[in-house]
């Protein structure tokens, strides 16, 4: 798509999380910094906005409201760490559930096991099948997932997909889990390096932008 044709360029928000209990290094934090530093690399596809989110249940809704006002995203692609992932895990379903055993970075655990009084599940509105095929074609490890967990990743996914924060209503929203980066195979089975992580993230952005463009009226 032509960079000059601004009407065909979506506003894309990419997010990651900072470190949290049990994960002193979160690769999505470095990923978002890298994407933000190389906005020119996707300038022909979108207007990119990047944000690193605190692992904090209580501040997250207000943070999304702020990002809705500043970025007005058409597409929201959220990245998070999964210690069990062996590659990109493209999440298909956000669940209306919060775990009651794992506190956030402030020590807070939500009292309610449900996020809100809404639907039990919400499907990703990202082009998940196309993302899967694009990553696979690039030779990157990828899998589909129907379990985004019960921590901040799923919480963010449900809030974003459900348009539950005032002013934050991307037409396309979803979540992708990534593995630990640089771990030795004999230690964990995770072999993705940061270059592969960055390349995959750019493929995901491009795939979403193409899908968004194809959805525009002729």
């Amino acid at each position: 798509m032509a960079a000059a044709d601004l009407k065909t360029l979506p506003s894309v928000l990419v997010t990651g999380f900072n470190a949290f209990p049990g994960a002193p290094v979160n690769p999505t934090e470095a990923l978002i910094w890298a994407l933000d530093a190389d906005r020119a690399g996707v300038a022909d596809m979108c207007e990119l906005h990047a944000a690193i989110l605190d692992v904090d249940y209580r501040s997250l809704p207000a943070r999304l409201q702020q990002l809705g006002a500043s970025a007005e995203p058409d597409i929201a692609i959220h990245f998070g760490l999964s210690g069990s992932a062996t590659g990109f895990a493209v999440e298909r379903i956000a669940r209306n559930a919060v775990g009651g055993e794992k506190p956030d970075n402030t020590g807070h655990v939500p009292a309610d096991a449900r996020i809100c009084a809404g639907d039990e599940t919400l499907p990703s509105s990202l082009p998940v099948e196309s993302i899967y095929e694009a990553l696979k074609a690039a030779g990157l490890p990828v899998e589909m997932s129907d379990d985004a967990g019960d921590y901040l990743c799923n919480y963010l996914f449900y809030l974003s997909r459900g348009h539950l924060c005032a002013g934050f209503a991307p037409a396309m929203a979803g979540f992708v889990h990534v593995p630990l980066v640089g771990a030795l195979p004999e230690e964990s089975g995770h072999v993705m390096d940061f270059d592969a992580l960055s390349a995959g993230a750019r493929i995901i952005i491009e795939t979403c932008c193409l899908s968004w463009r194809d959805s525009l009226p002729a």
Side-chain angles (χ1 to χ4, degrees):
M1 69 183 72
D5 190 359
L6 296 179
K7 290 184 180 179
T8 66
L9 295 181
S11 172
V12 176
L13 172 67
V14 290
T15 73
F17 281 108
N18 53 23
F20 57 91
V25 176
N26 190 332
T28 66
E29 184 171 10
L31 172 64
I32 297 307
W33 283 120
L35 292 172
D36 189 46
D38 188 31
R39 293 188 187 191
V42 295
D44 63 333
M45 294 184 285
C46 65
E47 179 183 351
L48 187 71
H49 303 269
I52 297 167
L53 306 175
D54 292 331
V55 180
D56 181 343
Y57 283 110
R58 290 172 291 189
S59 71
L60 187 56
R63 180 72 167 121
L64 289 183
Q65 290 181 34
Q66 179 188 52
L67 289 169
S70 61
E72 297 182 347
D74 299 297
I75 303 169
I77 307 169
H78 306 294
F79 292 96
L81 170 66
S82 169
S84 63
T86 58
F88 290 95
V90 184
E91 300 294 346
R92 290 186 286 206
I93 298 171
R95 294 183 298 114
N96 190 359
V98 180
E101 299 179 356
K102 194 172 182 180
D104 64 17
N105 281 354
T106 72
H108 176 69
V109 178
D112 198 330
R114 288 169 56 85
I115 295 172
C116 68
D119 296 334
E120 291 300 315
T121 61
L122 293 172
S124 174
S125 51
L126 298 182
V128 292
E129 296 289 346
S130 296
I131 290 171
Y132 176 87
E133 294 298 335
L135 291 172
K136 186 176 179 180
L140 294 169
V142 58
E143 61 184 337
M144 290 291 197
S145 170
D146 291 326
D147 185 0
D150 59 3
Y151 196 44
L152 267 292
C153 292
N154 178 73
Y155 184 66
L156 168 62
F157 187 8
Y158 194 92
L159 291 180
S160 180
R161 178 61 185 85
H163 299 169
L164 297 178
C165 303
F168 190 85
M172 296 167 55
F175 203 96
V176 179
H177 270 116
V178 303
L180 293 165
V181 170
L184 298 175
E186 60 266 30
E187 292 177 346
S188 67
H190 307 303
V191 296
M192 184 176 288
D193 62 24
F194 190 76
D195 287 343
L197 179 65
S198 297
R202 285 170 173 79
I203 288 170
I204 292 169
I205 292 169
E206 179 179 10
T207 303
C208 290
C209 289
L210 290 172
S211 179
W212 183 88
R213 184 187 66 179
D214 290 344
S215 71
L216 295 177

